[in-house]
mmCIF file of all heavy atoms in Angstrom:
data_model
loop_
_atom_site.group_PDB
_atom_site.id
_atom_site.type_symbol
_atom_site.label_atom_id
_atom_site.label_comp_id
_atom_site.label_asym_id
_atom_site.label_seq_id
_atom_site.Cartn_x
_atom_site.Cartn_y
_atom_site.Cartn_z
ATOM 1 N N LYS A 460 -49.978 8.425 -24.813
ATOM 2 C CA LYS A 460 -50.205 8.254 -23.388
ATOM 3 C C LYS A 460 -51.441 7.384 -23.161
ATOM 4 O O LYS A 460 -52.365 7.354 -23.972
ATOM 5 C CB LYS A 460 -50.396 9.605 -22.693
ATOM 6 C CG LYS A 460 -49.179 10.514 -22.783
ATOM 7 C CD LYS A 460 -48.041 10.004 -21.903
ATOM 8 C CE LYS A 460 -46.876 10.980 -21.931
ATOM 9 N NZ LYS A 460 -45.787 10.557 -21.038
ATOM 10 N N ASP A 461 -51.440 6.697 -22.040
ATOM 11 C CA ASP A 461 -52.564 5.842 -21.675
ATOM 12 C C ASP A 461 -53.634 6.680 -20.961
ATOM 13 O O ASP A 461 -53.520 6.968 -19.767
ATOM 14 C CB ASP A 461 -52.080 4.702 -20.768
ATOM 15 C CG ASP A 461 -53.211 3.750 -20.420
ATOM 16 O OD1 ASP A 461 -54.246 3.800 -21.091
ATOM 17 O OD2 ASP A 461 -53.032 2.966 -19.452
ATOM 18 N N GLY A 462 -54.655 7.129 -21.719
ATOM 19 C CA GLY A 462 -55.719 7.935 -21.123
ATOM 20 C C GLY A 462 -55.399 9.415 -21.174
ATOM 21 O O GLY A 462 -54.316 9.837 -21.580
ATOM 22 N N ASP A 463 -56.392 10.192 -20.759
ATOM 23 C CA ASP A 463 -56.235 11.642 -20.814
ATOM 24 C C ASP A 463 -56.082 12.270 -19.438
ATOM 25 O O ASP A 463 -56.141 13.492 -19.286
ATOM 26 C CB ASP A 463 -57.453 12.265 -21.505
ATOM 27 C CG ASP A 463 -57.576 11.826 -22.963
ATOM 28 O OD1 ASP A 463 -56.513 11.604 -23.579
ATOM 29 O OD2 ASP A 463 -58.710 11.693 -23.438
ATOM 30 N N CYS A 464 -55.900 11.439 -18.392
ATOM 31 C CA CYS A 464 -55.803 11.985 -17.039
ATOM 32 C C CYS A 464 -54.473 12.698 -16.829
ATOM 33 O O CYS A 464 -53.460 12.344 -17.424
ATOM 34 C CB CYS A 464 -55.988 10.881 -16.009
ATOM 35 S SG CYS A 464 -54.815 9.522 -16.193
ATOM 36 N N ALA A 465 -54.498 13.721 -15.973
ATOM 37 C CA ALA A 465 -53.289 14.480 -15.677
ATOM 38 C C ALA A 465 -52.559 13.934 -14.460
ATOM 39 O O ALA A 465 -51.362 14.158 -14.296
ATOM 40 C CB ALA A 465 -53.646 15.950 -15.442
ATOM 41 N N ILE A 466 -53.255 13.199 -13.584
ATOM 42 C CA ILE A 466 -52.655 12.655 -12.371
ATOM 43 C C ILE A 466 -53.165 11.240 -12.138
ATOM 44 O O ILE A 466 -54.355 10.948 -12.351
ATOM 45 C CB ILE A 466 -52.985 13.541 -11.142
ATOM 46 C CG1 ILE A 466 -52.263 14.887 -11.235
ATOM 47 C CG2 ILE A 466 -52.595 12.842 -9.841
ATOM 48 C CD1 ILE A 466 -52.529 15.817 -10.064
ATOM 49 N N LYS A 514 -47.260 15.637 -20.431
ATOM 50 C CA LYS A 514 -47.777 15.552 -21.800
ATOM 51 C C LYS A 514 -46.680 15.811 -22.816
ATOM 52 O O LYS A 514 -45.764 16.572 -22.570
ATOM 53 C CB LYS A 514 -48.923 16.541 -21.988
ATOM 54 C CG LYS A 514 -50.127 16.251 -21.103
ATOM 55 C CD LYS A 514 -50.762 14.926 -21.458
ATOM 56 C CE LYS A 514 -52.039 14.704 -20.647
ATOM 57 N NZ LYS A 514 -52.704 13.444 -21.014
#
Side-chain angles (χ1 to χ4, degrees):
K460 298 289 184 177
D461 183 16
D463 296 328
C464 57
I466 291 180
K514 297 296 185 178

